[in-house]
Amino acid sequence: MTVISSETDVDNLTLVIVAEFEAGVERVWETWKDPRKLERWWGPPTFPATFTRHEFVEGGESRYYMTGPNGENPHGWWRIDVIEPPRRIAFVNGLAGDDGEPVPGVEPMPSHVTFEPAGDRTRMTAVTRFVTVEQMEQMLAMGMQEGMTQAIDQIDAVLQLVSAT
Amino acid sequence: MVVGLLTDADADRVFQALADGTRRDILARALTHEQSVSALARQYAMSFAAVQKHVAVLERAALITKERRGREQIVHGNAETVRGAVELLDAYEQLWVQRVTQIAGLLAGEEGVER
């Protein structure tokens, strides 16, 4: 099982994902560093990403677009605030316009990702914090509705928990 | 884009309402069984007025509905609103689960080449 846990915290608008990979820290780090590898996982399967710029250094920026099944191309950008190879990345991911550049006035979403060795595996923890609900919806609008049906099953499970208390 | 059942303004009110432990507790009780405000107030070490304020915040966020029945105010939880809030976060969670699955697939595919 790759995903060890994922936890959405409605109170703090945060999402914590913990995953373990069958690979050393350096190889997992490469999946973030190498744009050709990064674009194989950043977008959902139906919205693959293409990175046209990827400056994997502190203060560096990235630009990408995704390609949807109907030819739509939502654009996004990153700015890397902290980078400690191969252990830690703090970056923001924001919405970009059709010109590929950040949309003014739209707050980017900060994520903090750590990589730790766990035997011969690597444990990755990704914490994303949403600044506002509007921002969360904008990010979701970028071709991410795919998971919705599965998500609904999870909501049912949550609601069942509530009603069981 | 509207994900699920909430508009942005609605959703902001919902998340603000949920950001307090007492209100989450009141909501959990109200989702389970309808409650009178006075019965709720007995559950907490705070004044009736303070509990009433929490109830009002939950009501404005449409997380609970309040009705007057005789001398009692009865509240019950609104599961649809809760669902809308959870749905937003879950959709994003799914995206990360997909990403992690794709990283694992990528690493597994490389194995033969790099090991």
Side-chain angles (χ1 to χ4, degrees), chain A residues 7 21 31 47 95 111 131:
Chain A
E7 189 181 315
F21 300 110
T31 66
F47 275 75
L95 196 72
S111 290
V131 181

Side-chain angles (χ1 to χ4, degrees), chain A residues 2 15 34 43 58 60-61 67 79 94-96 113-114 117 125-127 133 146 153 162:
Chain A
T2 305
L15 167 68
D34 178 345
E58 223 154 81
E61 296 202 4
T67 304
R79 186 189 64 236
L95 196 72
V113 191
T114 55
T125 305
V127 180
V133 168
E146 303 305 312
D153 293 339
V162 170

Side-chain angles (χ1 to χ4, degrees), chain A residues 6 27 37 42-43 133 137, chain B residues 8 93 99 102 107 110:
Chain A
S6 67
R27 279 186 60 218
K37 288 181 181 172
W42 179 252
V133 168
E137 289 197 334
Chain B
D8 294 346
E93 179 179 24
R99 283 179 179 156
Q102 292 183 127
L107 291 167
E110 282 178 345

Side-chain angles (χ1 to χ4, degrees), chain A:
Chain A
M1 188 71 180
T2 305
V3 178
I4 303 297
S5 72
S6 67
E7 189 181 315
T8 54
D9 181 343
V10 178
D11 315 326
N12 296 315
L13 283 179
T14 52
L15 167 68
V16 181
I17 295 278
V18 181
E20 274 191 16
F21 300 110
E22 299 278 354
V25 172
E26 293 284 351
R27 279 186 60 218
V28 177
W29 183 261
E30 280 296 316
T31 66
W32 286 77
K33 182 182 176 184
D34 178 345
R36 301 290 84 79
K37 288 181 181 172
L38 174 60
E39 57 195 18
R40 288 178 59 187
W41 65 264
W42 179 252
T46 48
F47 275 75
T50 304
F51 277 76
T52 53
R53 174 175 164 191
H54 190 47
E55 299 162 355
F56 204 60
V57 292
E58 223 154 81
E61 296 202 4
S62 304
R63 298 287 185 271
Y64 66 91
Y65 63 89
M66 300 195 282
T67 304
N70 303 314
E72 58 272 50
N73 288 125
H75 292 254
W77 62 280
W78 289 14
R79 186 189 64 236
I80 293 177
D81 292 327
V82 179
I83 194 158
E84 288 170 15
R87 292 302 180 87
R88 190 159 86 92
I89 311 165
F91 71 107
V92 297
N93 174 38
L95 196 72
D98 288 337
D99 62 354
E101 291 306 305
V103 176
V106 179
E107 278 287 298
M109 198 166 12
S111 290
H112 183 224
V113 191
T114 55
F115 307 85
E116 302 159 88
D120 52 2
R121 297 158 69 98
T122 298
R123 173 174 291 226
M124 182 181 92
T125 305
V127 180
T128 301
R129 194 183 158 81
F130 303 95
V131 181
T132 64
V133 168
E134 186 188 15
Q135 169 196 52
M136 184 161 60
E137 289 197 334
Q138 284 165 341
M139 298 314 292
L140 284 171
M142 292 177 64
M144 296 163 188
Q145 303 95 319
E146 303 305 312
M148 289 304 287
T149 23
Q150 292 125 290
I152 286 163
D153 293 339
Q154 293 180 330
I155 297 150
D156 286 337
V158 170
L159 290 173
Q160 273 160 24
L161 270 182
V162 170
S163 59
T165 53

Side-chain angles (χ1 to χ4, degrees), chain B:
Chain B
M1 165 184 170
V2 176
V3 175
L5 307 153
L6 303 176
T7 68
D8 294 346
D10 287 345
D12 277 330
R13 268 196 295 276
V14 168
F15 287 118
Q16 275 159 23
L18 289 171
D20 178 273
T22 303
R23 287 198 290 269
R24 290 198 296 276
D25 196 73
I26 292 173
L27 175 62
R29 288 172 196 273
L31 281 165
T32 314
H33 300 289
E34 61 173 35
Q35 310 269 330
S36 70
V37 177
S38 48
L40 278 172
R42 285 194 292 273
Q43 305 288 331
Y44 305 102
M46 59 180 78
S47 69
F48 180 82
V51 171
Q52 230 173 358
K53 253 182 211 167
H54 283 311
V55 166
V57 172
L58 289 166
E59 194 186 11
R60 274 199 297 276
L63 284 161
I64 61 169
T65 314
K66 195 168 73 182
E67 56 173 310
R68 182 162 284 282
R69 207 175 288 162
R71 296 179 57 183
E72 289 279 26
Q73 297 180 86
I74 307 292
V75 297
H76 44 91
N78 184 352
E80 285 298 293
T81 307
V82 178
R83 181 186 291 259
V86 175
E87 199 169 296
L88 273 174
L89 279 174
D90 275 350
Y92 204 74
E93 179 179 24
Q94 279 304 314
L95 172 70
W96 269 98
V97 169
Q98 276 176 342
R99 283 179 179 156
V100 161
T101 306
Q102 292 183 127
I103 293 175
L106 173 60
L107 291 167
E110 282 178 345
E111 234 173 302
V113 187
E114 296 192 10
R115 266 192 189 169

